[in-house]
Amino acid sequence: MATRKAGSRLETEIERCRSESQWERIPELVKQLSAKLIANDDMAELLLGESKLEQYLKEQPLRQGASPRGPKPQLTEVRKHLTATLDRGNLKSEFLQESNLVMAKLNYVEGDYREALNTYTRVGLDDLPLMAVPPYRLRMIAEAYATKGLCLEKLPISSSTSNLHVDREQDVITCYEKAGDIALLYLQEIERVILTNIQNRSPKPGPAPHDQELGFFLETGLQRAHVLYFKNGNLTRGVGRFRELLRAVETRTTQNLRMTIARQLAEILLRGMCEQSYWNPLEDPPCQSPLDDPLQKGANTKTYTLSRKARVYSGENIFCPQENTEEALLLLLISESMANRDAVLSRIPEHRSDRLISLQSASVVYDLLTIALGRRGQYEMLSECLERAMKFAFEEFHLWYQFALSLMAAGKSARAVKVLRECIRLKPDDATIPLLAAKLCMGSLHWLEEAEKFAKTVVDAGEKTSEFKAKGYLALGLAYSLQATDASLRGMQEVLQRKALLAFQRAHSLSPTDHQAAFYLALQLAISRQIPEALGYVRQALQLQGDDVNSLHLLALLLSAQKHYHDALNIIDMALSEYPENFILLFSKVKLESLCRGPDEALLTCKHMLQIWKSCYNLTNPSDSGRGSSLLDRTIADRRQLNTITLPDFSDPETVSDSSSSSSLSRTESPLHLFVSSHLHSHPKPDTFVWPPAAQSFSDPGPRQEHSLCNSPDVYFHGFPSLFSVSSVHATSVAASRVEQALSEVASSLQSSAPKQGPLHPWMTLAQIWLHAAEVYIGIGKPAEATACTQEAANLFPMSHNVLYMRGQVAELRGNLEEALRWYEEALSISPTHVKSMQRLALILHQLGRYSLAEKILRDAVQVNSTAHEVWNGLGEVLQAQGNDAAATECFLTALELEASSPAVPFTIIPRVL
């Protein structure tokens, strides 16, 4: 009785070791079994033969694609053990089947493929049961199917008939699919058994659970079928096989395999499948798919059934992707999570190979994430994913550079520059990186000194980056040119303009076929009011690139500076035929039409801009006043009676109360006064609205800016400079724009205006359209209509200095100088270098007899912009009123000289970007 119980325990332990592949323990257990039980010699032979074969394969593992040939001296004892077992035939039938399966595996290892197939035929592999068998038997059957598939692949077909080839290929794939399905079932079962044993174990600590390894045959069974499907051109069935493997309940052993399969499937979905040919994982695959080779025949469903299947995830709340990008993104995020979890970060030499494998696997996942998220414009999410990759990124240029590019695309320019510095350190000979950093610094950040340093890095790099030296000088010239525009002293402006001109000339000489070098040289000459020379270079730029929008725009402005307004307008119209949605061209067109075709045409263009804006951005006007573009519609409906048409005056309290009293402010209570008084005398209500961060809510997602409003004078959107860039061209306007943003948010909340959808750039464009329309109305003496248009802009940005300046213009038109004075002062309190506000404020002070203060303001304006002829003319009038005729004469002459070369709109409206 005791002997029988001891034998039972030993048999159970042997079965567990076979299931968990603990082959090194089998010989000792066999000795114990032979000593306690009689007539177990055949079983001992089987166990010893199996354990020795498995230990041999563990020490000398087979490789994918290798073809074993010839008997192995190390396996001689294995064959003796198995032959003795099979010759005597004393074992039960199931153990004889196991002996045959091990013998067939030995035949494959020694290269006898035909004998291995004959063995599987004798044993009846397809008839072996899967129900009520120990886990190790499932492993043996799965390995047998994989081995059979390998043997069929390696044996040549005796006949050249195509049907035989097709049948052989299908038999091979079926073997691998069965091997994979049974392998998943085995891994699930053995994990269940191990967990059960751990739970039933006594509190006394025992040995740690043994980590399962797939081994060559199980791994082949799991990974070979889909490879053959793709090789044969059956993409539909290959994708289906991937999904079957991924839907199976995960085990510890299949985690790495799962990550590999998920990544491979995501790559196929991104590169080989379109939305029209996609079907979701819970649907049956299409019978005929454009993804598949039309010459390949066969069904897209399984041709076999197993009596027992691996468990799959199921339930009502399981997420099912509905399109290829969605499924690919889900797979990649799963892969990324697994890659981060299993990351090897140790820098010791012993872990170097593991660390490189971990890094390579993660890099592939992040590259595919870049493709998937980049297609949808989800750069914010991409930058967050790549930020998690920084744990891998020590001294790894590729990940750092990808991170920098994602930050750029997400509008996080400041962080992108910091990351690009690290990229420059890792790859100092690559000139494109400092050029990219310079571009960011000159753009939204307006870090002009930093841009100059980056540009000098390229210029001073020597012969290693000689092909980029012209671009380096171009970047350096742009940095100097923007610094000159920002400079508040005329002397510094002239020095920087000369440096910019020399840099552009150097860039042009190094790369005479680069149209950008010729264009920026022409633009700098134009800013310096060297009009004839600028015309020569802009024509060169157009000869090199005839459809360049900025060169065409500059040519138009140069012609307008020579007072050829009709020719300039023709150039603008020609450019708009190529770029019909370029708002910066349309704004110039409004100015030129006002000069040479009259206000009616200018108003038509304003209405056209509103239509373009509405078609470009699927947004709702936050003021929601019901007016929309009807203000212009009513004007344009009867163009011949333009001067007799009146629009509602929204500064009139009665009109305000009739339409929306909360959406506008009276003339006597400006937004700034309301802001100050609300903070001095009361606290905001708890439910006061504050704009949310800019969200990507419109149809064509674009990069989200790091700051919600304009960060600098040179932020451009759809070719249009921001609300603050047309006039605020100095360094102080960077701070001014942030003040405007904060005050506009407060004013908007106090006025209870609805929130703006999406980024603020489209709204800034809309505000500029309304301000241009207001300017046209002011030009024809229509204060009511100008007020209505200004109010539309104020509903969007109540504290914009441009809006406040336009309010002052309307007040002047009404003859209310005190009110106009207050509006100009408020505009200057936000943007102290707004030259137009300075000029109009000084003019009112002059009219009020306050000559000294007017002279001081005008002299400050001249320091800010020495080419503004209106300022020089106003300064001459003030000096003349003070009796200083000699100085006044000089000012008038300067004004005349500057006016002769003054364009319809400032040259600085043209973007200066690398």
Side-chain angles (χ1 to χ4, degrees), residues 180-197:
D181 292 345
I182 300 172
L184 291 173
L185 178 60
Y186 157 69
L187 293 170
Q188 291 175 359
E189 278 297 301
I190 190 61
E191 183 159 290
R192 181 186 62 79
V193 170
I194 291 174
L195 291 176
T196 302
N197 291 338

Side-chain angles (χ1 to χ4, degrees), residues 404-617:
L405 294 177
S406 70
L407 290 171
M408 284 178 57
K412 301 177 181 179
S413 304
R415 291 193 67 195
V417 171
K418 293 180 181 179
V419 176
L420 285 172
R421 287 185 189 279
E422 178 67 12
C423 295
I424 293 171
R425 185 188 70 79
L426 294 173
K427 210 169 182 180
D429 295 336
D430 190 344
T432 61
I433 306 172
L435 286 174
L436 203 56
K439 179 177 180 177
L440 283 178
C441 291
M442 286 185 286
S444 59
L445 296 175
H446 208 66
W447 295 351
L448 301 182
E449 290 78 11
E450 295 295 316
E452 179 185 345
K453 292 176 183 177
F454 284 123
K456 285 182 177 178
T457 302
V458 180
V459 169
D460 300 336
E463 296 301 321
K464 292 182 180 179
T465 59
S466 57
E467 65 272 22
F468 291 101
K469 187 161 285 188
K471 285 291 183 186
Y473 277 109
L474 193 63
L476 188 60
L478 286 170
Y480 285 141
S481 179
L482 292 169
Q483 288 181 59
T485 306
D486 280 357
S488 57
L489 297 176
R490 288 180 60 189
M492 183 59 68
Q493 288 178 9
E494 292 170 358
V495 170
L496 289 168
Q497 284 179 356
R498 283 196 295 270
K499 286 184 176 181
L501 202 57
L502 289 173
F504 288 136
Q505 288 172 343
R506 180 67 172 151
H508 185 55
S509 64
L510 287 172
S511 183
T513 59
D514 184 5
H515 75 280
Q516 275 196 327
F519 161 71
Y520 281 119
L521 179 55
L523 179 59
Q524 189 58 42
L525 289 167
I527 293 172
S528 303
R529 296 300 176 89
Q530 301 179 46
I531 305 300
E533 294 86 349
L535 276 169
Y537 282 109
V538 78
R539 289 193 176 104
Q540 287 186 32
L542 286 169
Q543 288 174 355
L544 295 169
Q545 187 76 28
D547 60 349
D548 180 55
V549 61
N550 291 327
S551 299
L552 290 170
H553 195 185
L554 177 58
L555 177 60
L557 295 184
L558 289 169
L559 291 173
S560 73
Q562 294 183 330
K563 314 311 174 194
H564 302 314
Y565 296 126
H566 286 88
D567 293 337
L569 190 53
N570 290 335
I571 296 292
I572 292 290
D573 286 335
M574 182 175 67
L576 284 170
S577 66
E578 291 291 329
Y579 306 94
E581 297 177 359
N582 189 301
F583 285 102
I584 197 171
L585 289 175
L586 289 165
F587 290 137
S588 297
K589 183 179 180 181
V590 171
K591 295 280 189 179
L592 290 169
E593 285 179 332
S594 298
L595 290 171
C596 62
R597 292 182 185 174
D600 296 359
E601 293 289 339
L603 289 172
L604 277 174
T605 302
C606 289
K607 181 185 176 184
H608 179 59
M609 282 195 284
L610 287 170
Q611 293 169 341
I612 293 175
W613 186 92
K614 189 174 182 181
S615 65
C616 286
Y617 312 111

Side-chain angles (χ1 to χ4, degrees), residues 86 282 571 620 655 677 696 852:
L86 293 171
L282 299 181
I571 296 292
T620 304
T655 309
S677 63
Q696 307 263 354
S852 298

Side-chain angles (χ1 to χ4, degrees), residues 618 636 684:
N618 186 22
I636 297 164

Side-chain angles (χ1 to χ4, degrees), residues 672-688:
L672 186 60
H673 292 160
L674 190 58
F675 164 68
V676 173
S677 63
S678 66
H679 280 68
L680 288 177
H681 305 296
S682 64
H683 298 284
K685 297 180 181 179
D687 57 348
T688 298

Side-chain angles (χ1 to χ4, degrees), residues 83-222:
T83 303
T85 300
L86 293 171
D87 287 347
R88 287 194 288 267
N90 296 330
L91 291 174
K92 295 180 181 179
S93 60
E94 60 265 25
F95 294 124
L96 286 174
Q97 290 171 350
E98 292 177 10
S99 301
N100 279 301
L101 294 179
V102 177
M103 179 62 81
K105 188 175 181 180
L106 173 63
N107 289 330
Y108 172 80
V109 171
E110 292 187 338
D112 194 351
Y113 308 130
R114 196 168 298 281
E115 182 57 31
L117 290 175
N118 292 335
T119 303
Y120 288 133
T121 303
R122 288 197 303 270
V123 81
L125 182 58
D126 291 332
D127 299 326
L128 294 179
L130 300 177
M131 305 293 293
V133 295
Y136 77 86
R137 187 86 51 83
L138 295 174
R139 175 186 56 78
M140 295 182 75
I141 296 172
E143 289 183 343
Y145 275 114
T147 307
K148 183 179 178 181
L150 288 167
C151 293
L152 289 173
E153 274 198 279
K154 295 181 184 299
L155 282 177
I157 300 175
S158 57
S159 174
S160 60
T161 307
S162 60
N163 288 336
L164 289 177
H165 279 278
V166 173
D167 293 341
R168 169 64 69 84
E169 288 176 354
Q170 188 56 50
D171 289 343
V172 170
I173 291 175
T174 301
C175 286
Y176 288 137
E177 285 191 320
K178 288 182 178 180
D181 292 345
I182 300 172
L184 291 173
L185 178 60
Y186 157 69
L187 293 170
Q188 291 175 359
E189 278 297 301
I190 190 61
E191 183 159 290
R192 181 186 62 79
V193 170
I194 291 174
L195 291 176
T196 302
N197 291 338
I198 293 174
Q199 292 172 0
N200 295 336
R201 188 179 296 161
S202 63
K204 181 180 178 181
H210 183 72
D211 287 336
Q212 291 296 117
E213 294 182 2
L214 283 176
F216 170 77
F217 295 100
L218 292 184
E219 189 171 341
T220 300
L222 287 166

